[in-house]
């Protein structure tokens, strides 16, 4: 079944009346309703000029090659090229837009996005209007992240940055479940399991499942991982 998506296109004419030097922006999100909401939100603010809108990371990276814009606002979980893939892909491109991750995921993703080179992060639980200010500040060269006491959180609990689902996956890994077993257990596709495991390993600084399980066992025994 074809996924609904907004076309990748130059949307500049839809805005009209923009400032002389507007902040040029691009969007990527799996949800067409989110994309339409962002278009409406930014289209009403004369500081911004919408250049591209894409339904996944691959289309967004293609847009970077085809269009010039200053800031990209991307979701984190996307079927074809997730947030991590976008940030990693932009490392090879110069110039590249600065990236704000706009997602419903928790602060563990904010930490990962920062490590991968994002310039900002905002949770979808915040008022949407807050995104306007975050993007404006990022365009001025500032980093815009929520407070992340990374050193204290890691020292107190190496698992503190995990989502509930990631913690469950880790516990099932410790029980010896394979990727296929995890997919059946949680009702997920194998690709979704791989996505969650990749994030899990990155957050724990683990190269594989054995190292990730060692972190869990070390924590539960009150020992450093």
């Amino acid at each position: 079944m074809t996924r609904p998506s907004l076309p990748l296109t130059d949307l500049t004419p839809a805005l009209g009346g923009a400032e002389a030097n507007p902040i040029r922006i691009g969007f990527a999100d799996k949800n067409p309703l989110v994309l339409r909401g962002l278009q409406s939100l930014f289209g009403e603010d004369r500081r911004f000029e919408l250049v591209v809108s894409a339904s996944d990371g691959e289309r967004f990276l293609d847009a970077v090659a085809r269009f010039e814009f200053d800031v990209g606002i991307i979701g984190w979980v996307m079927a074809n090229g997730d947030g991590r893939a976008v940030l990693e892909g932009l490392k090879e491109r110069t110039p590249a837009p600065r990236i704000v991750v706009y997602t419903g995921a928790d602060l563990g993703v904010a930490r990962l996005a920062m490590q991968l080179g994002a310039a900002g992060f905002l949770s979808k639980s915040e008022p949407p209007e807050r995104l306007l200010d975050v993007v404006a500040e990022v365009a001025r060269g500032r980093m815009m992240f929520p407070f992340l006491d990374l050193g204290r959180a890691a020292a107190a609990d190496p698992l503190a940055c995990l989502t509930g689902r990631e913690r469950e996956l880790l516990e099932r890994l410790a029980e010896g479940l394979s990727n296929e077993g995890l997919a059946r257990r949680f009702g997920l596709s194998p690709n979704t399991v791989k996505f969650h495991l990749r994030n899990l390993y990155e957050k724990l600084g683990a190269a594989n499942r054995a190292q990730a399980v060692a972190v869990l066992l070390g924590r539960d025994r009150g020992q450093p991982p």
Side-chain angles (χ1 to χ4, degrees), residues 169 178-198 209:
L169 286 170
S178 64
N179 283 13
E180 292 76 14
L182 291 171
R184 289 192 298 270
R185 177 68 175 268
F186 292 98
L188 303 172
S189 71
N191 284 338
T192 300
V193 169
K194 290 179 182 179
F195 168 79
H196 284 302
L197 290 180
R198 188 169 61 179
R209 65 176 54 211

Side-chain angles (χ1 to χ4, degrees), residues 12-88:
T12 303
L15 292 181
E19 292 186 347
N21 295 297
I23 300 166
R24 298 165 299 174
I25 56 175
F27 303 139
D29 197 280
K30 67 179 182 179
N31 190 333
L33 295 178
V34 171
L35 289 176
R36 293 187 184 110
L38 292 175
Q39 289 170 17
S40 176
L41 177 68
F42 282 86
E44 294 174 357
D45 192 316
R46 293 171 60 87
R47 293 175 296 173
F48 304 100
E49 176 185 353
L50 179 55
V51 177
V52 293
S53 180
S55 60
D56 58 48
E58 288 182 0
R59 289 184 174 91
F60 181 82
L61 289 174
D62 181 59
V64 172
R66 294 168 55 193
F67 303 101
E68 292 185 4
F69 53 102
D70 306 303
V71 180
I73 301 95
I74 67 170
W76 189 253
V77 179
M78 295 181 285
N80 298 317
D82 57 21
R84 177 203 297 268
V86 169
L87 291 169
E88 290 177 341

Side-chain angles (χ1 to χ4, degrees), residues 2-217:
T2 302
R3 293 181 295 107
S5 63
L6 295 181
L8 173 61
T9 181
D10 186 344
L11 299 175
T12 303
L15 292 181
E19 292 186 347
N21 295 297
I23 300 166
R24 298 165 299 174
I25 56 175
F27 303 139
D29 197 280
K30 67 179 182 179
N31 190 333
L33 295 178
V34 171
L35 289 176
R36 293 187 184 110
L38 292 175
Q39 289 170 17
S40 176
L41 177 68
F42 282 86
E44 294 174 357
D45 192 316
R46 293 171 60 87
R47 293 175 296 173
F48 304 100
E49 176 185 353
L50 179 55
V51 177
V52 293
S53 180
S55 60
D56 58 48
E58 288 182 0
R59 289 184 174 91
F60 181 82
L61 289 174
D62 181 59
V64 172
R66 294 168 55 193
F67 303 101
E68 292 185 4
F69 53 102
D70 306 303
V71 180
I73 301 95
I74 67 170
W76 189 253
V77 179
M78 295 181 285
N80 298 317
D82 57 21
R84 177 203 297 268
V86 169
L87 291 169
E88 290 177 341
L90 290 178
K91 291 179 181 178
E92 308 299 324
R93 300 174 187 254
T94 302
R98 297 171 66 82
I99 297 297
V100 173
V101 174
Y102 182 55
T103 178
D106 65 11
L107 293 184
V109 171
R111 173 177 176 268
L112 179 58
M114 180 187 292
Q115 293 171 340
L116 291 171
F121 176 96
L122 186 70
S123 170
K124 288 180 179 176
S125 64
E126 296 281 342
E129 292 76 15
R130 170 69 176 145
L131 186 60
L132 298 170
D133 295 330
V134 169
V135 172
E137 292 302 316
V138 164
R140 294 187 182 98
R142 297 180 180 177
M143 300 285 285
M144 297 294 291
F145 284 88
F147 175 73
L148 299 169
D149 194 344
L150 303 180
R152 179 176 298 178
D157 184 355
L159 309 182
C161 63
L162 301 185
T163 65
R165 173 55 59 84
E166 288 166 345
R167 176 60 187 261
E168 289 182 69
L169 286 170
L170 180 57
E171 291 172 349
R172 301 295 82 78
L173 281 182
E175 294 175 359
L177 288 186
S178 64
N179 283 13
E180 292 76 14
L182 291 171
R184 289 192 298 270
R185 177 68 175 268
F186 292 98
L188 303 172
S189 71
N191 284 338
T192 300
V193 169
K194 290 179 182 179
F195 168 79
H196 284 302
L197 290 180
R198 188 169 61 179
N199 277 349
L200 172 66
Y201 298 159
E202 180 74 27
K203 291 178 182 181
L204 296 179
N208 51 46
R209 65 176 54 211
Q211 291 183 10
V213 170
V215 173
L216 173 67
L217 297 179

